[in-house]
Amino acid sequence: MNTHLLTQTLTDFDRWMTTHPQAVVEQEDRETSAAQTRSYTKERLLALTEEELYDYLSPLWAMLMWGNKHYQIDNIIASNGMPLLRKHLANLIYGEDSIEKRWDEFREKIKGIGPAMMSELLCKTHPEQYLLWNRKTHNGFTLLQITGIPRYESSLTGKTYAHLSAQGRDILAFAKQHGNRIIRDMLTLNTFIWHDLQQAPEIETAQAKHPEKLPATAKESAFIHNDIRDKLADIGRFLGFRAEIEKKVAAGAVVDTVWEATIGNMGRIIYIFEVQTSGSIDSLIMNLMKASGNNAVQGIVAVSDSRQIEKIKRETAALRDIRERLICWDYTEVLKVHESLQYVNETINTLGLVPQGL
C-alpha cells in the first residue's frame, strides 16, 4: 500500500469535509440511505414481497444507471423467482457461513445482481466489515497500489472480495492511527475514495496494455460467463431491445442472451449471444447453428477472449451457413461498452428526466 499517498489524500479529505458544508449534507444522505438498507432484517428479507424488493434495491447507487427501475427489477424477479431471491439475499447479508462461501453461492444461484449491488448491500448493512466494490473503488485501490485487485468485477470471487474488504479495514485502521476522525467505516471510506482517490489516466493506459485473460478455474470462468451474459442483457435494454437470458429460441437451442424487437408489421427481429469462457467450442457452434434456424434470428454473436475467438473462427471456417452470419465479440469489449453505457445512463438519470418510481 502506498502509505505516502494515503497520508496526503487523508489530509486533503479532512480539509474538504471541514470546509464544505455540502459535503457533510451529502454524507448524511449516504448514511440515511444505508440506514434504510439496514432496516431490512433477515426476517424481513425472508418475507419480501415484489414491491418490497423494489424498495430494497431501487435506492442502491448501483441502480442509478436505470431510469425505469421497476423494469430492471421486474427482469431480476422473472429471471430468479421471489423464493430464490428471498433465500439468497437473506443468506448473503445475514448468513452464518464465511463471506467467501456466501458470496460465491449468491453469484452461482442469482441472475442479474452483480458484485456492485451485492457489495453495496453488504457495506450498507455491515459498514464496519464489508467494502463497497465498484469501478471507483477499483480506481482508488489501484492508486494505492493494493495487490490482488481483479481487472473486472466479473471475476470477483468470494475469496477476492474477502481480501479486498480486509484491505479496506487496513485503510480504516491506518486512518485512525493517523488521527483521522471522519473515516470511521467502509461507508465513509467509500466517500473518501470517490472524492480523493480516482485513477490517473496513465494507470488506465498501462493496464490496457496487459488485458486480463479468462481465468483457468471453473468457478471464475462460471462467474465471468454469467456476468457477461447479464451485461449483454443490460446493453440490449440500454439500446431499447427486450432482452432475456437463457432463452430457448429453437428446438434444442437455449442461448445465453437474446435481444428482441418488433418492427411495425415486419414482425420480430432477434439477435442471439453465446458466451464462451470454458468447455467445448463444438457445443457452442452447434447451439448457434440450431438457434440460427429460427427465421427471426438476424444476427448470431459468439463472445469470448481473443484466443478462443480465433479458435471459433477456425472451427467455423468450413461451415458456410454459420460462417457468413457469425459475429465474434471480445468479452473485454463487452465490459467496456457496458461501463460506458452505464456512465451515460447514470449521467442522464441525474437530470431527473424520468420520475422516480417509474
Side-chain angles (χ1 to χ4, degrees):
M1 185 187 301
N2 186 333
T3 55
H4 175 73
L5 175 62
L6 181 55
T7 302
Q8 177 186 334
T9 49
L10 283 171
T11 301
D12 295 340
F13 183 66
D14 279 353
R15 186 182 303 113
W16 176 67
M17 288 292 291
T18 55
T19 58
H20 292 76
Q22 185 59 31
V24 177
V25 173
E26 290 175 1
Q27 186 58 34
E28 289 174 350
D29 289 342
R30 292 167 69 85
E31 296 287 352
T32 299
S33 176
Q36 180 181 348
T37 301
R38 283 195 295 274
S39 71
Y40 286 80
T41 62
K42 182 176 183 178
E43 292 71 26
R44 191 176 178 186
L45 289 177
L46 288 171
L48 278 179
T49 65
E50 291 187 6
E51 195 57 36
E52 286 171 331
L53 178 67
Y54 173 82
D55 293 338
Y56 184 53
L57 297 181
S58 63
L60 296 178
W61 303 312
M63 287 290 292
L64 286 174
M65 74 180 84
W66 300 106
N68 186 340
K69 295 180 174 59
H70 267 301
Y71 174 70
Q72 181 62 8
I73 293 172
D74 286 346
N75 282 314
I76 292 172
I77 294 170
S79 297
N80 299 283
M82 284 302 298
L84 200 67
L85 285 166
R86 294 187 193 106
K87 173 184 175 181
H88 287 287
L89 280 169
N91 184 61
L92 173 69
I93 306 302
Y94 296 108
E96 296 180 358
D97 289 328
S98 68
I99 188 57
E100 292 96 328
K101 184 174 181 179
R102 285 149 46 204
W103 181 277
D104 287 349
E105 185 174 348
F106 190 94
R107 293 206 65 193
E108 289 166 1
K109 302 294 185 181
I110 298 299
K111 306 177 183 73
I113 300 179
M117 292 177 68
M118 293 166 63
S119 64
E120 185 175 340
L121 290 170
L122 284 163
C123 178
K124 286 181 172 178
T125 309
H126 308 287
E128 298 82 13
Q129 191 171 3
Y130 296 123
L131 183 73
L132 197 164
W133 185 259
N134 54 25
R135 185 62 179 174
K136 295 286 189 179
T137 315
H138 177 282
N139 294 347
F141 273 35
T142 300
L143 276 178
L144 290 175
Q145 300 171 8
I146 291 173
T147 60
I149 303 173
R151 175 74 191 279
Y152 299 107
E153 68 174 26
S154 55
S155 57
L156 193 65
T157 64
K159 182 178 180 180
T160 303
Y161 179 68
H163 163 73
L164 295 170
S165 291
Q167 294 295 308
R169 293 192 294 272
D170 287 346
I171 296 174
L172 294 181
F174 183 91
K176 183 177 180 180
Q177 290 169 3
H178 288 74
N180 185 288
R181 298 180 182 275
I182 298 174
I183 302 176
R184 60 187 180 277
D185 57 23
M186 298 286 198
L187 197 62
T188 45
L189 173 63
N190 183 256
T191 303
F192 164 60
I193 289 171
W194 273 63
H195 186 264
D196 285 278
L197 283 173
Q198 286 313 294
Q199 196 169 57
E202 58 269 19
I203 295 178
E204 179 65 26
T205 301
Q207 286 184 336
K209 294 179 181 178
H210 304 283
E212 183 174 289
K213 303 288 187 184
L214 285 171
T217 69
K219 180 183 291 186
E220 289 178 319
S221 291
F223 287 169
I224 290 180
H225 174 279
N226 294 344
D227 190 68
I228 297 169
R229 175 202 63 197
D230 293 347
K231 282 182 166 56
L232 285 166
D234 286 348
I235 292 169
R237 291 167 192 147
F238 286 148
L239 297 177
F241 290 95
R242 177 187 174 190
E244 297 180 83
I245 60 175
E246 297 183 356
K247 174 78 171 178
K248 182 177 180 180
V249 295
V254 176
V255 297
D256 288 318
T257 308
V258 172
W259 296 355
E260 182 176 336
T262 302
I263 302 178
N265 62 356
M266 295 176 63
R268 295 186 305 157
I269 59 169
I270 295 174
Y271 300 95
I272 61 174
F273 300 82
E274 275 285 274
V275 181
Q276 177 77 8
T277 57
S278 63
S280 170
I281 289 177
D282 289 342
S283 65
L284 172 137
I285 294 171
M286 182 61 67
N287 207 37
L288 288 175
M289 291 180 67
K290 290 178 180 178
S292 66
N294 184 328
N295 291 332
V297 172
Q298 299 298 305
I300 53 177
V301 185
V303 181
S304 191
D305 64 12
S306 57
R307 177 179 57 83
Q308 294 195 77
I309 283 174
E310 290 304 313
K311 289 184 178 180
I312 293 168
K313 289 179 178 179
R314 287 197 299 270
E315 293 291 330
T316 57
L319 304 173
R320 181 178 177 182
D321 289 345
I322 190 172
R323 179 191 68 207
E324 296 180 352
R325 303 178 63 190
L326 179 65
I327 300 167
C328 293
W329 197 0
D330 192 297
Y331 88 105
T332 60
E333 292 301 316
V334 174
L335 297 174
K336 290 175 185 176
V337 168
H338 185 275
E339 183 178 309
S340 298
L341 288 172
Q342 178 178 339
Y343 172 76
V344 169
N345 279 267
E346 287 179 358
T347 302
I348 294 298
N349 289 336
T350 60
L351 301 177
L353 300 178
V354 179
Q356 291 298 310
L358 292 182

